[in-house]
Amino acid sequence: MMRQNNMVAMILAGGRGTRLLDLTNKVAKPAVFFGGKYRIIDFPLSNCANSGIDVVGVLTQYESVLLNSYVAKASLWGLDAKDSGVYVLPPREKIEGFGLYRGTADAITQNIDFLDQYDPETVLILSGDHIYKMDYSKMLDCHNKNNADATIAVLEVPMKDTHRFGIMNTDENDRIVEFEEKPKNAKSNLASMGIYIFNWKQLRKALIDDVKNPTSNHDFGKDIIPTFLNTDKRLFAYRFKGYWKDVGTIDSLWEANMDLLYRSEELNLADPSWKIYTEDRTVPAQNFGSKAKVSNAYINQGCVVNGKVTNSVLFTGVIVEAGAEVLDCVLMPNTKVKSGAKVQRIITDENVVIGENAKVGSPKGEIELIAHDVKGV
Amino acid sequence: MCNALGIVSYDDFVNIPGLNDTRPMPSVSFLGRYRLIDFVLSNMTNSEISNIQVYVKNKPRSVIEHVGTGRHYNINSKSGKLRILTGEANVQNEIYHHDISAYIANMQFIEDAHQDYVIIAPSYMVYRVNFEEVLKAHIESKADITMLYKTVDNADTAYARVATLSIEKPRKVVAIETNQGKFKNRHISLSTYVMSKENFVTMVHLANETSSLFTFRDVIKDQLPMMNVVGFPVHGYVACINTLEEYHRVSLELTDYAVSKTLFDPDWPIYTHTNDSCPTRYTATADISASVVSNNCLIEGTVKHSVIGRDVEIHKGAVVEDCVIMANTKIYDNVHLKNVVVDKFAKINHKVDLTGSPDKIIYVKRKDNI
C-alpha cells in the first residue's frame, strides 16, 4: 500500500454549509456544484490524485447519502488502482455506542482504526469545502525537509481580512511560533488554509489525549494545533501561492464561479497537466440554436442555448429557450429558462424551471438563490 | 440480459480518404464529443448485450484507446466482455484482408460465446435501435436472418455502394443489390444482421470455402435464394457516414436541435470516453449560432452552423461557417472557413480564406499547418 509517498489523505466533508441556504438542504456542502460541471469535493480529490496520493478517506456526516455514493466511485479520479481507493467514513455504531463526529479532530480520532490499517508515516488533513489546485507532494517535501512534526499550508491574505482567518505567526525559517484564531490585530497575514500534514504517530497520540480532555472542542484549529505548539513540537508553515477560495456563502459561490470568466488566468481548469476530474454525464455536446447570442460565458456539455447568455456560467444540461435572457447568472445542472424569461444575478439550484416571461433577480444587491420553480406570466 | 453476441463489423468498401488515413471508421470523431463507434456500442449495451466483439481492419490504436475495456459503455466489468479483434493472419495480403478472414481468425471466440444469437452491426451507420426488440422479432419470425433497413428518398445522393434490399410483403428480402445512386427511393440495408450463432458460423465457413475473396455481404447475397431472410424497418433517424460530403452534411444536419432530438434520447444514452475536459469559454467577442460545441474550447470569433470538437481555439475575427472542426485545432485571427472539414491538431493561421461547397468539401489534414 501507498508505494508513492507513505501518506494517507483524510478529507473532512461532514459540514452542512448552512450559509449556502437551500443548496445544502439535501446535500452536504462538499457535494455542491461548482464551475459548470464539478462538485466542490472534486478539487481536493483531484489534487490528491494528481499529487500521487493513493489512499483517501472521506469523513462525511451531514446529509451524506449523495456524497457517500458519489465519492465511492473512486474511478472518477483514477483512485481505483490495485493499491488505492477512496473510502467513505461516516459515523458508525461502535461497541461503546453510536458517536457523531463532535469536531474535526474527533472525526479523525474515531477513524484511528482505519488509519492504523495503513500505518502511514504522515497523514494529510484536508477540507472538502475549498476551491483550489495544489500539489500536496510539494508540501510533503517541505514537511520532510523541515523534519517537521506538523506542517500547515498558509496563504498570504490582505491585512484587512486577517480577522476572518486563523493566523500563523512564524520565525525567519517559517517555523510557527504562535497561532491566533481570528485576531483583531494580527501580527502576520499568513492564514491557515485548513490543510495539515501530521506525523501520524504524533497526531495519533495527541488525538487519544484530546478525547480524554473534557474541555476540548476536538477541533484541529482550536485544540490540536495549540497542543502541538504548547508541547514544543516542530510546526512549520507551507506558503501556498495561487487561487484558493472558501465558497461558504451564496455570494462567494457566485463570485468564485464568476472567477472562471474574469480571473481565468488564476483559476485555470483547462491545464492538461492538472485536470480536475468529475462525473461525466452521458449527454451530447453543447447545442446552440439559430437565435443564440452568447457573450462572456462558461458553458458545459449538454446545454441547449437558443436565447441570450451574457457573463454567466451554465452547468450540464441547462436549457435557455429562444427569447430568454440570462445575465450575470450561475445556472446549476438542468436549469430551464423558458422563452421570454429574464434572469439576472441569480444562482439556481438543480432542475429549477423559470417559467415563460418570468423576471427574476435584480441588477444590484445580493445574489439571489432560486431553489424552486418560478411560474411563468 | 440479451441472448446475443454483439459484433461490431466493418465493410471494406467504406473508406474516406483523409479521415481514414490515420484512423479506421469506428474512431472517426462525430458531433464533437463522440466517435462513430459510440452509437453502435451504446445501442448494444442499452439493449443489454454484454458480450461484444469489435472487429478492426487496420490502425487499431485509436480504437483501443477510445473503447478500451468498454467499461464506460456500461458493461459489467466482471460478467461482461468487450474484445477488440483484428484479422492479423492476412495482414500482409490486402485482398484477403476482409471481414470473413477476421471472423475465421477469431472463430474460437465466436464459438466460445455463451449466447445463442449474434447481432452484427457496423459503426459507420448511425441510428438508434433496441436490439432486444429486433431479436425478439427475429425469433418470432422464424427467419434465418433478419436485416435492418431504412426506407429513404435520397439514395441518389447518399448511401453510395451500400446494399439495397428488394422486399416483398410482408417483409421477405428477395434481392440484395448495390446502390449505384440511380434511384431516390430505396430500402437501404443498414449492414446490420441478426441470426443464430450456429447460422453465422456456417455462413462464415461457407464464404471462406466458396471464395477467399468473399465478404459477409457477398455470402448473404449468394445464399439469399436458399434462405428465409426478412427485413426489419428502422423508422428513426439514420445516417450513413461513407463519404466526406456525407460526413459533413450529416454533422451539420445534427446541429439542428429538432433533428438531434430524433437521434438522442435521454432514455437511450450514447456513451463515450470522457477526456475530463473543463467547460468551454466564450469571450465577449464570441458570436455563436446554429452549432454544436464540445468542452474545453476557447471561442473568441464567429461560429455559424458548424461542429466544433474538444480543445479547439477560435480566435478573434475568425469566421467559421458550415464547417466541422475536430479536436485540438487552432483557428487563428481573421481566418475565414466555409464548408471545410479540419482534422485534429491542425493550425490555420491568420488571413487564410478557405471556401468549399457542400458537394466539394475542403479537407484540412491532421496536424496540418496552414
Side-chain angles (χ1 to χ4, degrees):
Chain A
M1 282 289 183
M2 301 172 307
R3 291 155 287 118
Q4 303 201 53
N5 47 32
N6 210 8
M7 179 160 77
V8 169
M10 299 290 269
I11 303 180
L12 300 163
R16 173 172 175 183
T18 318
R19 290 172 302 156
L20 287 172
L21 312 175
D22 283 354
L23 282 182
T24 53
N25 272 353
K26 286 305 289 176
V27 296
K29 179 177 165 188
V32 167
F33 289 105
F34 176 80
K37 71 182 293 194
Y38 309 95
R39 292 181 189 270
I40 297 170
I41 197 161
D42 289 327
F43 286 79
L45 281 169
S46 302
N47 287 339
C48 283
N50 290 331
S51 302
I53 293 170
D54 297 326
V55 177
V56 183
V58 181
L59 301 128
T60 63
Q61 180 153 287
Y62 173 78
E63 279 295 352
S64 57
V65 170
L66 187 146
L67 188 57
N68 291 352
S69 61
Y70 183 68
V71 300
K73 286 182 263 182
S75 63
L76 295 182
W77 307 277
L79 292 166
D80 59 336
K82 207 80 181 165
D83 288 345
S84 64
V86 179
Y87 300 93
V88 184
L89 302 168
R92 58 191 142 135
E93 190 174 359
K94 295 178 182 157
I95 198 146
E96 58 268 31
F98 187 89
L100 285 175
Y101 295 151
R102 292 170 296 167
T104 52
D106 187 48
I108 305 298
T109 311
Q110 292 201 37
N111 288 289
I112 285 177
D113 53 351
F114 170 77
L115 283 158
D116 281 348
Q117 283 181 62
Y118 297 98
D119 190 26
E121 189 153 330
T122 50
V123 172
L124 171 67
I125 308 289
L126 301 169
S127 151
D129 293 356
H130 302 143
I131 304 296
Y132 66 108
K133 298 195 296 182
M134 181 171 175
D135 187 344
Y136 305 129
S137 69
K138 288 185 181 156
M139 181 171 168
L140 180 61
D141 289 345
C142 173
H143 176 84
N144 289 333
K145 200 183 77 208
N146 288 330
N147 194 21
D149 299 317
T151 300
I152 301 172
V154 295
L155 187 74
E156 290 179 34
V157 296
M159 279 313 277
K160 66 175 171 56
D161 293 337
T162 49
H163 66 279
R164 299 197 289 121
F165 294 96
I167 297 296
M168 302 293 161
N169 299 323
T170 58
D171 69 10
E172 66 279 7
N173 298 319
D174 273 348
R175 182 167 174 175
I176 298 166
V177 294
E178 190 185 13
F179 168 72
E180 292 180 286
E181 182 70 23
K182 299 182 180 166
K184 281 206 179 89
N185 298 301
K187 294 172 201 148
S188 101
N189 67 338
L190 299 179
S192 167
M193 298 165 69
I195 300 168
Y196 313 101
I197 291 178
F198 285 101
N199 172 293
W200 171 232
K201 285 200 175 70
Q202 303 218 19
L203 176 63
R204 193 180 189 283
K205 186 175 174 303
L207 290 172
I208 289 169
D209 291 344
D210 179 72
V211 172
K212 295 174 194 152
N213 178 358
T215 60
S216 173
N217 297 298
H218 313 296
D219 183 89
F220 276 103
K222 292 192 184 99
D223 306 291
I224 302 296
I225 300 299
T227 302
F228 264 59
L229 277 172
N230 294 338
T231 51
D232 282 333
K233 296 271 193 303
R234 292 175 62 82
L235 268 76
F236 283 82
Y238 171 74
R239 288 170 192 256
F240 172 77
K241 286 195 170 54
Y243 187 94
W244 179 85
K245 193 164 260 179
D246 182 350
V247 286
T249 63
I250 294 298
D251 272 317
S252 66
L253 180 62
W254 180 86
E255 194 182 280
N257 276 286
M258 288 297 149
D259 287 341
L260 291 162
L261 296 173
Y262 300 103
R263 293 170 65 190
S264 60
E265 299 300 315
E266 295 162 72
L267 181 57
N268 174 15
L269 304 182
D271 178 0
S273 69
W274 204 271
K275 280 188 177 177
I276 304 301
Y277 310 108
T278 186
E279 182 175 42
D280 180 63
R281 298 203 177 179
T282 47
V283 289
Q286 305 160 31
N287 185 296
F288 297 91
S290 55
K291 294 184 183 114
K293 270 199 179 316
V294 175
S295 167
N296 197 29
Y298 201 65
I299 302 181
N300 195 35
Q301 61 203 17
C303 288
V304 180
V305 176
N306 201 16
K308 189 175 177 187
V309 175
T310 313
N311 308 337
S312 295
V313 176
L314 270 49
F315 287 65
T316 322
V318 167
I319 296 176
V320 180
E321 293 186 352
E325 285 185 30
V326 176
L327 176 62
D328 299 325
C329 290
V330 174
L331 304 182
M332 298 281 190
N334 303 317
T335 296
K336 191 171 188 178
V337 185
K338 300 192 89 167
S339 70
K342 286 188 170 59
V343 292
Q344 184 174 14
R345 286 172 65 80
I346 63 167
I347 291 185
T348 56
D349 201 352
E350 268 187 283
N351 304 320
V352 160
V353 179
I354 309 288
E356 284 177 24
N357 303 314
K359 288 195 175 34
V360 186
S362 56
K364 280 192 181 140
E366 286 189 358
I367 300 301
E368 206 173 324
L369 170 67
I370 307 298
H372 303 284
D373 291 358
V374 176
K375 278 198 181 132
V377 284
Chain B
M1 203 65 83
C2 184
N3 186 17
L5 164 69
I7 290 181
V8 179
S9 59
Y10 58 81
D11 276 325
D12 291 291
F13 69 93
V14 180
N15 181 59
I16 304 178
L19 279 189
N20 289 138
D21 287 357
T22 52
R23 86 272 292 175
M25 223 51 199
S27 43
V28 168
S29 308
F30 190 58
L31 294 180
R33 70 176 311 215
Y34 300 106
R35 293 180 189 250
L36 286 175
I37 195 170
D38 294 337
F39 292 84
V40 59
L41 282 180
S42 300
N43 278 337
M44 286 182 174
T45 59
N46 286 334
S47 305
E48 308 240 346
I49 295 175
S50 60
N51 187 6
I52 296 174
Q53 300 181 350
V54 175
Y55 285 86
V56 186
K57 182 168 178 177
N58 44 30
K59 302 187 184 74
R61 195 271 309 162
S62 54
V63 180
I64 292 167
E65 201 171 310
H66 183 75
V67 174
T69 59
R71 200 191 249 196
H72 45 282
Y73 294 100
N74 223 8
I75 300 174
N76 184 296
S77 58
K78 297 284 181 185
S79 68
K81 187 88 193 165
L82 186 144
R83 283 193 175 93
I84 298 171
L85 299 168
T86 56
E88 58 253 287
N90 292 318
V91 147
Q92 291 87 351
N93 203 334
E94 190 54 33
I95 60 162
Y96 300 132
H97 190 198
H98 46 62
D99 53 356
I100 292 291
S101 66
Y103 298 145
I104 292 283
N106 296 289
M107 189 48 81
Q108 187 207 333
F109 303 111
I110 297 167
E111 287 178 337
D112 284 354
H114 299 304
Q115 290 77 13
D116 296 321
Y117 294 89
V118 290
I119 292 175
I120 305 154
S123 45
Y124 66 93
M125 288 283 184
V126 176
Y127 58 84
R128 184 177 84 219
V129 77
N130 187 335
F131 287 129
E132 265 189 315
E133 286 169 14
V134 180
L135 179 61
K136 192 162 165 269
H138 171 78
I139 293 169
E140 278 168 10
S141 73
K142 298 194 166 63
D144 296 313
I145 296 176
T146 295
M147 290 179 76
L148 263 58
Y149 70 94
K150 169 81 177 171
T151 306
V152 304
D153 58 7
N154 61 340
D156 53 336
T157 56
Y159 308 100
R161 299 180 66 203
V162 172
T164 63
L165 308 182
S166 301
I167 295 174
E168 277 180 4
K169 279 182 181 168
R171 293 195 291 134
K172 188 171 166 54
V173 177
V174 292
I176 301 174
E177 280 149 3
T178 299
N179 182 25
Q180 307 287 2
K182 288 180 188 155
F183 306 97
K184 284 184 175 210
N185 299 299
R186 294 281 95 170
H187 302 306
I188 293 291
S189 161
L190 303 186
S191 289
T192 304
Y193 310 90
V194 181
M195 67 194 80
S196 69
K197 194 179 77 186
E198 194 187 347
N199 197 9
F200 175 67
V201 171
T202 307
M203 298 294 281
V204 169
H205 285 303
L206 196 60
N208 194 41
E209 285 153 17
T210 310
S211 161
S212 39
L213 301 185
F214 250 32
T215 64
F216 191 69
R217 178 167 147 186
D218 293 329
V219 72
I220 300 280
K221 194 175 166 181
D222 195 52
Q223 294 295 310
L224 188 63
M226 279 78 84
M227 293 190 300
N228 178 19
V229 178
V230 301
F232 184 100
V234 171
H235 298 294
Y237 185 87
V238 172
C240 169
I241 312 293
N242 62 347
T243 62
L244 186 66
E245 281 67 30
E246 275 300 284
Y247 174 73
H248 175 263
R249 185 189 67 80
V250 167
S251 297
L252 298 196
E253 179 175 76
L254 284 163
T255 61
D256 183 342
Y257 188 58
V259 178
S260 149
K261 273 201 290 194
T262 65
L263 176 60
F264 292 99
D265 177 346
D267 295 331
W268 196 262
I270 305 301
Y271 304 102
T272 189
H273 174 81
T274 178
N275 283 280
D276 299 293
S277 308
C278 65
T280 280
R281 203 153 69 82
Y282 301 84
T283 65
T285 54
D287 180 4
I288 174 126
S289 62
S291 295
V292 165
V293 183
S294 311
N295 269 13
N296 195 26
C297 294
L298 173 67
I299 310 289
E300 298 176 332
T302 299
V303 178
K304 276 185 202 162
H305 201 226
S306 295
V307 174
I308 312 293
R310 199 167 24 79
D311 305 344
V312 168
E313 292 175 17
I314 296 181
H315 290 256
K316 275 181 198 159
V319 180
V320 172
E321 194 177 353
D322 298 323
C323 289
V324 178
I325 311 289
M326 291 195 209
N328 296 94
T329 296
K330 289 182 171 59
I331 313 288
Y332 288 105
D333 302 18
N334 304 318
V335 167
H336 284 60
L337 303 178
K338 192 173 163 70
N339 288 312
V340 181
V341 172
V342 183
D343 209 327
K344 287 177 152 188
F345 295 100
K347 289 190 178 92
I348 305 186
N349 293 296
H350 63 98
K351 297 265 164 105
V352 171
D353 193 338
L354 293 175
T355 305
S357 65
D359 50 2
K360 204 161 171 51
I361 301 301
I362 294 175
Y363 171 75
V364 175
K365 67 176 196 246
R366 194 172 187 267
K367 288 191 172 171
D368 212 354
N369 202 339
I370 296 184

